[in-house]
Amino acid sequence: MAQRRMLSRRITESAKFLRMPLSTQALYFHLVISADDDGVVEAFAVMRKTNASDDDLRLLVAKNFVIMLNEDMVAYITDWNENNRIRADRKVDSIYQKLLLKVVPNAEIKRAKPRADTGKKTGSENGRPADNQRTPQDSIGEVSIGEDSSGQVNLVEDNSVDGSSNESKEETSSPTTTNIYDLYQSNFGVASPIIIETISQDVNDYGEELVIEAMKRAKLSQANYRYAQGILKDWASHGVKTLADVQGADAAYNQKQQRRQGGKKVIQKETLPDWAMDDYTPPVTTKNKEEAAQLQKEVNEKLAKLRSKEG
């Protein structure tokens, strides 16, 4: 089992996590550190070492940060693959793997693979080949730095040897899901934990492609993310569920506008409502004016009485 563990800021800086007591947050940190390579941990031993209370563990279960697997307080970290990505040739299967699959059938378990450097002794240190003797197979799963056509430097996980790239795509999450938050920060500003949770919920409700498309249209209209949410709700009310549906709706709108304009081609533009503007303030209604007039009348009457008493 690996001796190093990592924590995702997307989890530990979310509003759901930060609303928990500090003792509960500390228990989560220790559970992640003590978990095996499949994200399973004996919670009782961790609680004894950290002097955590049963309420802390119950809160983690209620918030769906952990799932209890049996009465012996064996627990599973639900966001394990978000926190840690362990190389398949370094992974040690959990002794509770069968129990995990029985209780959580949809748990994402990475299949362990034989070490690529097994049996290599010449020029090796601790069973691993020296840097000048490593083969392409030895670098499977390691993180390397690559530069794309635009000149931007990206972190790329190299799993392309022997056709293993398809397995990597199945075992890890889509990179687009990670980039959607970068897209927000590049166009709308710093993504707070509340915004991250909101975007995550919108992705679950409408789909990632539609959320990205709505964000692009909001940016073109110089609006905020609230305007993008309005676009998503409008699409949902008209049964739009995919990008193909969006294109079909745009085409239908353009045809309708062309008929109204006598066949002239009309370019569709997103109309920016007042409520989507950052400096928007609610209008003064007739009811507010009447209340203000009545209040002014009462003030004038009180001032008149005070002046009559003084005279």
Side-chain angles (χ1 to χ4, degrees):
M1 186 179 74
Q3 299 300 314
R4 297 179 181 179
R5 293 292 181 237
M6 300 185 68
L7 288 159
S8 172
R9 291 177 59 186
R10 196 171 339 141
I11 303 300
T12 60
E13 293 186 1
S14 65
K16 184 173 71 169
F17 187 85
L18 294 175
R19 288 194 183 105
M20 296 190 302
L22 292 178
S23 59
T24 308
Q25 296 180 33
L27 176 58
Y28 180 79
F29 294 147
H30 284 281
L31 289 175
V32 172
I33 292 174
S34 302
D36 59 27
D37 291 351
D38 283 320
V40 181
V41 57
E42 295 181 356
F44 178 77
V46 176
M47 293 175 67
R48 288 292 295 271
K49 288 190 298 183
T50 60
N51 198 26
S53 66
D54 293 341
D55 290 337
D56 291 327
L57 184 61
R58 291 193 190 99
L59 186 55
L60 288 175
V61 173
K63 293 286 188 178
N64 198 35
F65 284 109
V66 300
I67 297 175
M68 302 307 298
L69 301 182
N70 61 14
E71 296 179 354
D72 294 330
M73 301 179 69
V74 176
Y76 171 62
I77 311 295
T78 55
D79 296 305
W80 177 251
N81 291 317
E82 171 68 22
N83 287 315
N84 291 275
R85 293 184 179 180
I86 301 173
R87 286 178 49 174
D89 61 346
R90 296 291 186 267
K91 179 180 178 290
V92 177
D93 289 340
S94 171
I95 60 174
Y96 297 106
Q97 194 173 96
K98 292 183 179 179
L99 174 63
L100 172 60
L101 291 175
K102 181 179 179 181
V103 180
V104 189
N106 60 343
E108 298 181 7
I109 298 179
K110 179 175 290 187
R111 180 168 55 88
K113 297 179 181 179
R115 288 176 64 112
D117 53 9
T118 302
K120 296 181 180 180
K121 297 181 179 180
T122 304
S124 63
E125 295 179 2
N126 298 326
R128 300 189 64 181
D131 292 338
N132 59 354
Q133 295 181 346
R134 301 183 73 180
T135 64
Q137 288 80 4
D138 296 329
S139 61
I140 295 177
E142 291 189 352
V143 176
S144 60
I145 299 180
E147 185 173 337
D148 59 19
S149 58
S150 63
Q152 295 180 344
V153 177
N154 300 318
L155 288 177
V156 181
E157 188 173 358
D158 183 12
N159 289 292
S160 58
V161 180
D162 296 333
S164 60
S165 57
N166 293 333
E167 290 185 7
S168 174
K169 293 180 181 178
E170 295 175 358
E171 294 174 356
T172 59
S173 59
S174 172
T176 311
T177 304
T178 303
N179 293 337
I180 192 171
Y181 303 101
D182 297 333
L183 179 63
Y184 176 92
Q185 295 193 131
S186 300
N187 293 279
F188 300 101
V190 178
S192 64
I194 295 178
I195 288 293
I196 292 175
E197 189 172 355
T198 301
I199 295 175
S200 178
Q201 185 62 47
D202 288 340
V203 170
N204 292 334
D205 293 341
Y206 305 107
E208 187 176 294
E209 291 182 340
L210 291 187
V211 173
I212 293 176
E213 181 65 21
M215 289 170 63
K216 291 178 179 178
R217 297 189 179 209
K219 178 61 177 179
L220 289 174
S221 298
Q222 298 181 351
N224 50 29
Y225 185 73
R226 182 167 52 183
Y227 181 68
Q229 288 183 302
I231 296 175
L232 292 169
K233 292 178 181 178
D234 182 68
W235 284 342
S237 65
H238 289 84
V240 175
K241 297 181 179 179
T242 64
L243 283 179
D245 294 339
V246 172
Q247 295 172 356
D250 290 345
Y253 177 84
N254 287 332
Q255 290 177 1
K256 185 177 180 180
Q257 291 297 101
Q258 288 179 22
R259 287 194 297 268
R260 289 182 178 178
Q261 299 295 330
K264 295 181 180 179
K265 186 175 180 180
V266 178
I267 300 176
Q268 182 183 0
K269 293 183 178 180
E270 297 288 348
T271 303
L272 181 63
D274 294 337
W275 53 263
M277 302 296 293
D278 292 331
D279 57 350
Y280 170 73
T281 54
V284 178
T285 62
T286 304
K287 182 178 179 182
N288 291 341
K289 292 181 179 179
E290 293 176 353
E291 291 177 353
Q294 180 64 26
L295 180 61
Q296 185 64 42
K297 182 180 178 181
E298 293 176 359
V299 171
N300 291 337
E301 290 176 353
K302 290 182 180 181
L303 287 174
K305 290 180 181 180
L306 290 173
R307 288 170 183 168
S308 62
K309 289 180 181 180
E310 291 176 356

